[in-house]
Amino acid sequence: MNRLEQRLAELKKKKQKALALFVTAGDPSLKVTEQVVRFCDRSGVDLIEIGVPFSDPIADGPVIQASAFRALEKGVHLKQILGLVRRLRGEGLQIPIVLMSSANPLYGTGWVSVARDLSEAGVDGVIIPDLPLEESAELRRAFERRDLVNIMMTTPTTEGRRRRDILRSSRGFVYFVALIGLTGDRHESAAIISRRIREARLTATSPVLAGFGISGPADARAMCSAADGVIVGSALVQHLHQHSPRNLSDRSRKFILSLLKAVK
Amino acid sequence: MRSKYFGRFGGQFVPEILMNALAELEASYRQLRRDRRFRGELEDLLKHYAGRPTPLFHAKNLSRALGYRTFLKREDLLHTGAHKINNTLGQVLLARHMNKRRIVAETGAGQHGVATAAAAALMGMPCVVYMGKVDTERQALNVYRMKLMGAEVRPVTSGSQTLKDAINEAIRDWIKNVRDTHYILGSVVGPYPYPEMVRDFQSVIGRETRRQLGRTPCGLVAACVGGGSNAMGIFHEFIKRPGTKLLGVEAAGHGISTGKHAATLLKGTVGILHGAKSYVLQDRWGQIKPDVHSVSAGLDYPGVGPEHASLKDSRRVRYVAATDKEALHGFRYLSEHEGIIPALESSHAIGYLLTHSRIRPKRGACVICLSGRGDKDMEHASRIIRL
């Protein structure tokens, strides 16, 4: 069992919900990224997702895309991100860390060498939104050998055998894309999404965390009634961009704490 | 199940949200391609609306200069000015069959956008075209044409503000509106089934060419390659005919060792862009190169269709690159000696053959795919070529 699976198993035993936070590496700066990771570790956030910036993302919304472009302009890339994780692990940092990235910046020389690099740096797994189940067999084999998790995404419209296969082969947790509007009637969709998340939990072999469009503590709490936890991405990225341009500000710390309070 | 790969290239590298839509698209396409009524309808549109079959013109003056018999496949004479309409008519019919009510598309130089806007207008469907802001300025005339036909043109301000960024935005739009929207991709790129489907719609070029050649053996087929749709369209019919050499001409821009080029197959490395694994122009950190350059906006793309990548590996097609200068030479030559003004894209194939005499048909004739006409390039050309 790797660090992330262990943490989520403990939460399950304690009947607690999980909070995962997403930050783009290098936006506003690598220093702020480091401060966020340290603060999350100290304050009891369960997982940090570090976004690897990519020049041509197709799966990101406008907030995270803009954030990635800012990071790229500063010249941030995978090597520095792995360097940061390696250094923090060397200091004994315990919080589970996964990389969230488009396929291309990770793919490089192939999944086997990626698995080695990630594992050596102390990363626990990846989320690759543009690597669906059908394209992930090679990566999963390479990751299995290094005890890294490949977290897969499912949506309210994922159905049939694919849905079952995703729910059963996602390791760490299942990322449920709780996007409103996919299922049709907008008024009903919040209820439909909750139902789909509950259904997913019955089939999944790992906890089901919901993400996309969770803008603050209220959304987070609401989503936790159906899911095993939530992922907050754009809202935090935007907050850091506005309120923590040079250093992690008290205001951003408070925002993170308010999310924790809503979930725990 | 059919393979979604061409050799080791292709696949479906897209967010989970699109997997349903791609499966639906694939199923509808498989069903429709065999449907007699659909084929009849498409053939009728290609003939009476787009202007097929296009002539295969024996260019005698060019033949004399090259030293072998050369024909031009006149896709430039099609409605809207390029081969792009072959694909957009097919896809818009497909969209209607799938009960999609809205069309999105990307465009670089604007030819695919114009062809999509025309097809959507014909079907009475609302159409949004994403176009890099830089391209909207470079190709203002095509923006106006699209608008005139009722399309909404959305300038894209992210990234390098060119074709690749327009594709990103179109895909994002599709993700948001996947229930009622069909995405008409303009080249043999993107996730499966697009590379195969667009090739099939374009393969009418090669089929016609072979029929028109009659008993004349075809020793060489040449076409320009950006994303690669006109090339796949004319190559496909000849791939299983070993007597025909196939030549794909990429854009070498200022020269392939300058960094300012778009020669993806010659200088790229394997990567994942816009939903497919193929050759990609990228830096060592997997970031797509922003400074891709060609004198022709339509070849100015850091990726290439996965089937081309596979044909390069198998060496069935020989890929080369023509510089801006060589392309402009071809552009002028054809204008002056045949009275045909080719698109700057197609000029790469002509310019390459004019400047490299080693590549020639062993026997029989040479066919060059004249994928588009040069009208759209007049303003740009008049700034480069002083008369």
Side-chain angles (χ1 to χ4, degrees):
Chain A
M1 229 189 216
N2 91 356
R3 206 168 351 221
L4 171 61
E5 289 172 306
Q6 222 161 359
R7 168 76 73 121
L8 293 174
E10 282 162 23
L11 287 178
K12 197 173 178 186
K13 229 184 279 169
K14 289 191 274 184
K15 298 211 159 127
Q16 270 188 17
K17 302 291 182 179
L19 175 67
L21 294 181
F22 171 93
V23 285
T24 304
D27 179 52
S29 67
L30 270 176
K31 192 175 93 183
V32 173
T33 305
E34 179 179 339
Q35 290 170 340
V36 173
V37 175
R38 287 180 190 279
F39 181 72
C40 286
D41 183 50
R42 278 203 307 277
S43 55
V45 172
D46 299 299
L47 166 68
I48 192 96
E49 299 175 7
I50 299 184
V52 180
F54 179 44
S55 55
D56 291 78
I58 53 174
D60 292 335
V63 170
I64 290 175
Q65 188 196 2
S67 162
F69 287 160
R70 289 193 295 267
L72 281 178
E73 271 171 19
K74 298 200 175 77
V76 173
H77 47 66
L78 187 62
K79 194 176 172 189
Q80 291 149 299
I81 299 167
L82 293 181
L84 172 66
V85 176
R86 191 179 296 115
R87 185 160 53 77
L88 291 171
R89 287 289 186 231
E91 296 171 15
L93 185 101
Q94 282 307 314
I95 187 171
I97 296 175
V98 301
L99 298 188
M100 186 157 177
S101 175
S102 294
N104 201 53
L106 281 188
Y107 180 68
T109 48
W111 299 126
V112 173
S113 58
V114 173
R116 185 198 57 218
D117 294 348
L118 264 53
S119 164
E120 281 172 7
V123 170
D124 301 302
V126 294
I127 306 170
I128 306 178
D130 57 348
L131 198 76
L133 178 71
E134 288 80 351
E135 304 292 354
S136 67
E138 193 190 328
L139 172 138
R140 277 182 287 147
R141 267 196 305 277
F143 274 39
E144 211 61 55
R145 259 180 245 130
R146 298 268 177 183
D147 202 24
L148 295 169
V149 300
N150 176 42
I151 294 153
M152 276 186 276
M153 296 178 133
T154 185
T155 76
T157 52
T158 306
E159 269 157 13
R161 228 184 73 190
R162 293 197 69 249
R163 177 176 169 278
R164 198 196 61 203
D165 290 347
I166 291 169
L167 293 175
R168 295 206 172 146
S169 41
S170 186
R171 269 192 64 188
F173 64 89
V174 174
Y175 194 130
F176 193 100
V177 180
L179 258 186
I180 305 259
L182 285 178
T183 51
D185 189 349
R186 275 170 185 276
H187 300 293
E188 273 182 9
S189 32
I192 291 177
I193 283 174
S194 293
R195 201 176 70 223
R196 293 276 156 86
I197 294 174
R198 288 198 184 89
E199 286 165 6
R201 285 170 70 195
L202 296 178
T203 314
T205 40
S206 314
V208 176
L209 271 60
F212 274 69
I214 296 176
S215 61
D219 286 352
R221 189 176 308 124
M223 208 50 101
C224 275
S225 64
D228 294 305
V230 293
I231 304 145
V232 181
S234 303
L236 178 60
V237 167
Q238 192 62 28
H239 203 281
L240 293 173
H241 176 55
Q242 274 167 0
H243 304 296
S244 299
R246 272 171 295 278
N247 283 295
L248 180 62
S249 64
D250 283 344
R251 210 165 155 180
S252 295
R253 281 197 188 90
K254 272 184 198 146
F255 180 65
I256 293 173
L257 292 175
S258 72
L259 290 168
L260 259 174
K261 205 175 145 213
V263 169
K264 298 293 174 181
Chain B
M1 205 177 74
R2 285 174 66 108
S3 169
K4 294 176 180 178
Y5 275 78
F6 303 92
R8 61 188 173 121
F9 301 104
Q12 294 179 318
F13 295 85
V14 296
E16 180 58 32
I17 289 179
L18 288 182
M19 291 302 281
N20 267 345
L22 290 177
E24 184 197 354
L25 181 60
E26 186 188 344
S28 300
Y29 174 59
R30 294 225 170 288
Q31 186 208 336
L32 279 189
R33 69 194 290 190
R34 282 191 203 85
D35 184 281
R36 200 178 284 166
R37 244 189 66 203
F38 174 80
R39 288 166 60 150
E41 212 173 347
L42 179 57
E43 252 165 54
D44 185 66
L45 283 178
L46 287 174
K47 185 172 174 192
H48 299 291
Y49 183 71
R52 300 213 74 93
T54 58
L56 185 70
F57 173 64
H58 182 193
K60 297 206 178 70
N61 299 326
L62 179 63
S63 297
R64 251 194 308 280
L66 290 173
Y68 45 83
R69 201 139 74 102
T70 302
F71 293 87
L72 300 174
K73 182 58 177 162
R74 299 289 311 271
E75 295 298 295
D76 60 317
L77 292 176
L78 283 173
H79 178 44
T80 67
H83 69 292
K84 295 290 185 188
I85 193 90
N86 299 328
N87 169 46
T88 60
L89 286 174
Q91 285 204 47
V92 86
L93 284 177
L94 186 61
R96 203 183 57 182
H97 178 83
M98 291 190 294
N99 289 320
K100 303 287 181 184
R101 285 182 294 270
R102 177 175 174 269
I103 298 294
V104 293
E106 84 294 339
T107 196
Q111 289 307 103
H112 173 59
V114 168
T116 306
L122 181 69
M123 296 291 153
M125 290 167 99
C127 170
V128 172
V129 180
Y130 289 90
M131 188 170 186
K133 189 157 171 291
V134 171
D135 288 334
T136 61
E137 285 153 14
R138 279 200 288 204
Q139 304 284 342
L141 200 64
N142 272 341
V143 174
Y144 186 73
R145 291 168 81 196
M146 286 183 262
K147 286 182 174 169
L148 200 57
M149 289 186 280
E152 182 193 338
V153 180
R154 292 192 188 159
V156 175
T157 54
S158 60
S160 57
Q161 311 191 2
T162 58
L163 176 59
K164 77 175 177 73
D165 310 283
I167 297 180
N168 294 333
E169 284 310 319
I171 294 176
R172 257 183 236 124
D173 181 307
W174 195 30
I175 289 173
K176 260 190 283 175
N177 302 294
V178 67
R179 280 163 54 87
D180 69 343
T181 297
H182 174 63
Y183 174 28
I184 300 190
L185 230 170
S187 192
V188 289
V189 301
Y192 187 86
Y194 281 105
E196 183 183 293
M197 185 172 74
V198 176
R199 177 202 71 200
D200 287 352
F201 285 136
Q202 292 293 0
S203 63
V204 64
I205 306 174
R207 276 198 308 277
E208 261 177 33
T209 301
R210 212 166 63 80
R211 206 173 53 230
Q212 288 163 325
L213 279 170
R215 285 163 179 274
T216 311
C218 184
L220 175 67
V221 174
C224 64
V225 178
S229 69
N230 90 87
M232 276 323 306
I234 196 163
F235 289 169
H236 187 60
E237 180 73 14
F238 295 95
I239 281 175
K240 292 213 172 88
R241 296 172 189 279
T244 306
K245 283 195 251 183
L246 303 175
L247 182 74
V249 184
E250 297 194 288
H254 298 323
I256 54 169
S257 34
T258 62
K260 296 271 181 198
H261 61 77
T264 311
L265 287 163
L266 292 182
K267 301 295 274 189
T269 50
V270 177
I272 295 162
L273 177 66
H274 296 144
K277 192 185 282 184
S278 186
Y279 285 98
V280 175
L281 291 170
Q282 56 187 335
D283 68 15
R284 53 194 290 238
W285 303 112
Q287 307 298 341
I288 307 306
K289 289 209 168 142
D291 55 352
V292 170
H293 163 84
S294 167
V295 66
S296 65
L299 301 181
D300 197 343
Y301 178 61
V304 67
E307 192 168 8
H308 283 294
S310 166
L311 289 167
K312 175 199 153 97
D313 275 16
S314 70
R315 299 190 181 188
R316 176 61 189 94
V317 178
R318 178 157 177 201
Y319 293 95
V320 295
T323 61
D324 286 354
K325 215 172 136 192
E326 288 163 351
L328 286 166
H329 176 55
F331 179 76
R332 283 198 81 159
Y333 188 90
L334 208 67
S335 303
E336 283 168 19
H337 298 277
E338 298 288 356
I340 296 171
I341 302 174
L344 283 173
E345 290 78 8
S346 325
S347 302
H348 282 72
I350 300 153
Y352 186 86
L353 290 175
L354 279 169
T355 42
H356 297 79
S357 53
R358 267 180 313 141
I359 297 180
R360 48 168 55 236
K362 219 177 272 165
R363 60 187 196 98
C366 163
V367 178
I368 301 172
C369 187
L370 197 60
S371 55
R373 66 181 90 129
D375 303 25
K376 67 179 173 63
D377 299 314
M378 288 304 95
E379 205 196 317
H380 188 48
S382 65
R383 267 181 272 132
I384 305 172
I385 305 169
R386 291 261 157 238
L387 300 176

